[in-house]
Amino acid sequence: MADADDVRRLALALPQVVEIDSEGFDFRVADKGFVWSYPERRPGAKPVIRTDIAVLYVGDEAEKQALLLGEPDVFFTTPAYDGLPLVMLRLAQVDVERLTELVTDAWRMRAPTG
């Protein structure tokens, strides 16, 4: 079972990563977000920052749909993320090895090449 501390440790171990000051966690490379805490929105209320859920950059809609359909207990989305290459990850549903793969892949897609 992974948690926010694992996300922080893994993200900060990658080259050129910057942590943005936030209520949860928010990591960027080359000014592009690749993993951050899920800001759960409820009607008429301020968003609640969920550090038990990570928003991950996945690159494209095909990858997003593959994750959502293949592992619905692990990944989900909301209408606010329709059309965006982002999924939400329930951290308690993955181990650190899988989290390492997911965070590294998200970073790799956002990091500058060359």
Side-chain angles (χ1 to χ4, degrees), residues 34-89:
F34 67 97
V35 62
W36 58 90
S37 304
Y38 173 50
E40 184 175 37
R41 290 170 176 80
R42 296 179 183 169
K46 180 181 172 193
V48 175
I49 304 301
R50 299 277 307 268
T51 58
D52 60 322
I53 298 172
V55 179
L56 282 170
Y57 183 83
V58 294
D60 62 31
E61 187 68 21
E63 178 67 15
K64 177 179 182 172
Q65 292 305 317
L67 291 169
L68 293 171
L69 294 171
E71 299 176 83
D73 57 324
V74 176
F75 299 99
F76 71 100
T77 190
T78 67
Y81 290 95
D82 285 352
L84 299 173
L86 304 168
V87 295
M88 278 63 83
L89 164 66

Side-chain angles (χ1 to χ4, degrees), residues 5 76 82 96 104:
D5 290 336
F76 71 100
D82 285 352
V96 174
T104 302

